[in-house]
Each structure stands twice: as C-alpha cells, then as structure tokens.
C-alpha cells in the first residue's frame, strides 16, 4: 500500500510506548487480578480498533481478499474482547 514496513512512524513509536507498559503492569507484584484484567482490556480495545481501521483501509482501496482476512481478524479480536468483558463483570 505504499508504506515502508521498516519505518518507525510517530504513531508506531507511541504504540510501542503504550504496549511496553502492559508487561510492567502484569508483572508488578502489587497488581491484582482485576487490575490485570483491566490492563488486558485496555490493550484489547486498542487492538480491536486497529484491526477495524486496517480492514476499512484495505477495503477502501479495493483489496477485497485482504479486507476479508482482516474482517476475520476483527471477528476473532471481538471474541477476545467479549471474553475479557465477561471476565471483568464477574469481579
């Protein structure tokens, strides 16, 4: 799609900073199970949003095959989000 896959964009740099915090939260001995679920939920929300954006981007460029693959990823990620939300409600 015209991008340089080896280029670290400002957006990718921000994502790396955000994602680097997740293991720190999960491995911190003060983190409760509920805190861990909340951290994973935040990450999963961002992941879902990014897959949806990718699907829209390739679909708008007429790349139906790739859009279908991304649509499957969106569906899979939605399942992850649904399970985490259900787990969160159980606490």
């Amino acid at each position: 799609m015209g991008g340089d896959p080896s280029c670290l964009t400002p957006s990718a740099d921000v994502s790396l900073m955000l994602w680097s915090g997740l293991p720190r939260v999960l491995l911190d001995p003060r983190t409760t199970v509920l805190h861990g679920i909340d951290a994973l939920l935040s990450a999963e929300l961002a992941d879902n949003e990014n897959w949806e954006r990718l699907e829209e981007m390739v679909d708008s460029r007429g790349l139906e095959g790739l859009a279908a693959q991304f649509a499957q990823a969106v569906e899979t990620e939605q399942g992850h989000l649904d399970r985490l939300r259900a787990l969160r409600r159980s606490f």
Side-chain angles (χ1 to χ4, degrees), residues 40-60:
L40 291 171
L41 187 57
S42 294
E44 198 60 52
L45 284 166
D47 201 29
N48 271 261
E49 183 64 27
N50 289 331
W51 278 110
E52 288 175 7
R53 278 194 227 148
L54 283 169
E55 180 189 8
E56 291 167 6
M57 187 171 43
V58 297
D59 190 49
S60 71

Side-chain angles (χ1 to χ4, degrees), residues 9-82:
T9 65
S11 180
D13 192 38
V14 169
S15 291
L16 283 172
M17 294 282 290
L18 286 169
W19 288 103
S20 70
L22 183 61
R24 295 173 84 183
V25 169
L26 295 174
L27 295 173
D28 189 310
R30 299 168 295 173
T31 299
T32 66
V33 173
L34 185 57
H35 291 143
I37 292 169
D38 284 344
L40 291 171
L41 187 57
S42 294
E44 198 60 52
L45 284 166
D47 201 29
N48 271 261
E49 183 64 27
N50 289 331
W51 278 110
E52 288 175 7
R53 278 194 227 148
L54 283 169
E55 180 189 8
E56 291 167 6
M57 187 171 43
V58 297
D59 190 49
S60 71
R61 289 181 167 82
L63 303 169
E64 293 87 13
L66 195 52
Q69 290 177 24
F70 285 167
Q72 179 60 45
V74 168
E75 187 176 319
T76 299
E77 293 303 321
Q78 185 62 50
H80 298 164
L81 188 56
D82 291 344

